[in-house]
Amino acid sequence: APQLQESGGGSVQTGGDLRLSCSCSGYTYSRYCMGWFRQYPGHEREGVAAIPTDGGVPTYADSVKDRFTISQVTAENTMYLYLEIKDLKPEDTAMYYCAAISTFRERCVLESTNFSYWGQGTQVNVSN
């Protein structure tokens, strides 16, 4: 089964930028949706952005599309997923998870129930 590992989280001041990374190995199908989700304490995971691994059109949550950019590359049997976050705000403080699911869909659906494989998460803390 695919194994995902996030990195790049940390403590950042309001207005700063951050780049989250995710690597995915052990996958067997040729096309996946890969996505980023975030979770606040005591809340369900919410979709941030997702993208097909064949260079398809990304999908963003309305609340982040002006500041977040998702990108994906595949190299040496590993899929890499990135999330660039600009102008960080305190409300961006959350645990960020990388997820993947094999798919034939043209566009990724940004719902956690649509994803089968998850990383352990990376914490982002934004302070004033």
Side-chain angles (χ1 to χ4, degrees):
Q3 295 182 331
L4 294 89
Q5 179 66 57
E6 305 93 338
S7 61
S11 296
V12 187
Q13 289 191 327
T14 298
D17 301 336
L18 200 63
R19 189 192 199 205
L20 305 181
S21 301
C22 171
S23 64
C24 178
S25 59
Y27 61 94
T28 56
Y29 294 101
S30 61
R31 189 172 187 275
Y32 285 77
C33 274
M34 296 189 73
W36 287 101
F37 292 77
R38 63 185 178 186
Q39 187 170 22
Y40 303 109
H43 289 77
E44 298 290 325
R45 289 180 190 179
E46 64 176 39
V48 173
I51 188 169
T53 57
D54 61 353
V57 178
T59 301
Y60 290 95
D62 288 342
S63 60
V64 305
K65 60 184 178 182
D66 292 335
R67 298 186 295 115
F68 288 32
T69 302
I70 191 171
S71 60
Q72 192 276 325
V73 296
T74 299
E76 297 181 357
N77 296 319
T78 300
M79 298 189 295
Y80 297 94
L81 187 71
Y82 304 100
L83 186 69
E84 296 193 48
I85 310 174
K86 296 186 180 298
D87 189 22
L88 278 153
K89 304 178 183 301
E91 53 265 38
D92 294 322
T93 294
M95 183 71 81
Y96 285 74
Y97 294 91
C98 174
I101 181 66
S102 59
T103 185
F104 294 104
R105 294 176 182 266
E106 181 176 355
R107 295 285 296 268
C108 297
V109 178
L110 203 52
E111 296 286 344
S112 60
T113 53
N114 285 341
F115 288 79
S116 296
Y117 307 105
W118 294 85
Q120 295 297 309
T122 186
Q123 179 69 38
V124 173
N125 295 313
V126 184
S127 59
N128 289 318

